Amino acid sequence: MKHILVVLGGGRPNGNTEQLVHAFMKGAREAGHCVEKVSLMKTEVKGCIGCNACRYEKPCIQKDAFHTLIPKIKDADLIVFASPLYFWTISARLKAFVERFYCIAQEDENPPFGRYEKYPVKDSALLMTAADALFWTFEQAESYYKFAIVNYIGFHDKGMLLAGGCGDTNGMPQIGKTTYLQQAYEFGKNVYEQS
């Protein structure tokens, strides 16, 4: 059994992204994993202000809910980052959550190229939805995930589900008319096939 933390970075209640998340969670639970969802729409996490007061596992000076999320982050085997596509990348709420990882970083005497500290070793996955399904729709979001979370923080990528073509941004969620909910269920169920 793995501990999975799903961090939902935005979207409408029962919208495309939340439905995708719930399908993933259902599959993961059926596979025997312990799954918890945190909605950043309900849990305030402010963006990093770059003051450096938290360097090397000191507490962030900002008084928000991130402090309550640190134990959940540290306990998780897998952190799933979930977001609708906002201006061609992840939501500002989810990016703020990622930025605040700075306060859980440890000093590294011999950091890999391009990194200044070391982070807890975790698995990660990305779930996203978008109205558009162009060949470049998720390019910037995918790039951010790979560079910031996988390459820089050093998480081990367990995969991405990028659900494009989920309906007009002004209309009702259309993800139910696609195969993405089934794909998310299978992704959750098989994310740790060898476990």
Side-chain angles (χ1 to χ4, degrees):
M1 179 185 76
K2 300 287 188 179
H3 286 83
I4 300 175
L5 177 64
V6 180
V7 183
L8 177 58
R12 302 169 191 163
N14 204 35
N16 290 321
T17 309
E18 190 162 44
Q19 290 182 51
L20 194 72
V21 161
H22 287 168
F24 176 91
M25 292 172 64
K26 181 179 179 189
R29 284 186 177 129
E30 286 184 15
H33 305 300
C34 177
V35 187
E36 181 179 359
K37 178 184 84 173
V38 171
S39 170
L40 298 178
M41 298 298 284
K42 298 174 183 173
T43 306
E44 183 187 32
V45 174
K46 299 172 184 172
C48 178
I49 59 173
C51 70
N52 241 11
C54 72
R55 192 83 192 257
Y56 304 138
E57 292 192 292
K58 295 182 195 82
C60 178
I61 63 167
Q62 297 190 81
K63 306 301 181 208
D64 63 11
F66 190 78
H67 300 282
T68 66
L69 299 179
I70 292 172
K72 297 177 189 295
I73 293 166
K74 290 185 174 181
D75 287 345
D77 297 298
L78 167 65
I79 300 176
V80 179
F81 299 86
S83 177
L85 188 77
Y86 288 167
F87 281 80
W88 310 111
T89 191
I90 63 171
S91 71
R93 291 175 193 270
L94 192 57
K95 186 171 185 298
F97 173 78
V98 173
E99 289 173 1
R100 295 287 293 284
F101 275 46
Y102 196 61
C103 73
I104 60 174
Q106 300 172 335
E107 191 167 2
D108 193 341
E109 293 178 8
N110 189 24
F113 179 75
R115 192 180 302 160
Y116 301 99
E117 57 276 320
K118 62 182 175 183
Y119 293 86
V121 177
K122 304 288 172 189
D123 293 326
S124 64
L126 179 66
L127 300 176
M128 291 195 72
T129 60
D132 296 311
L134 304 167
F135 73 92
W136 48 266
T137 295
F138 293 104
E139 193 170 295
Q140 187 170 330
E142 185 177 354
S143 176
Y144 177 80
Y145 171 74
K146 287 179 178 176
F147 277 97
I149 295 168
V150 177
N151 294 339
Y152 185 75
I153 292 176
F155 284 3
H156 301 144
D157 178 36
K158 298 296 282 183
M160 295 179 277
L161 179 52
L162 308 175
C166 291
D168 188 290
T169 54
N170 294 320
M172 298 297 290
Q174 300 293 315
I175 197 166
K177 297 179 180 178
T178 73
T179 63
Y180 290 123
L181 297 180
Q182 183 63 33
Q183 289 179 52
Y185 169 80
E186 296 293 339
F187 187 13
K189 194 160 189 176
N190 300 307
V191 70
Y192 285 106
E193 290 177 311
Q194 306 297 323
S195 296

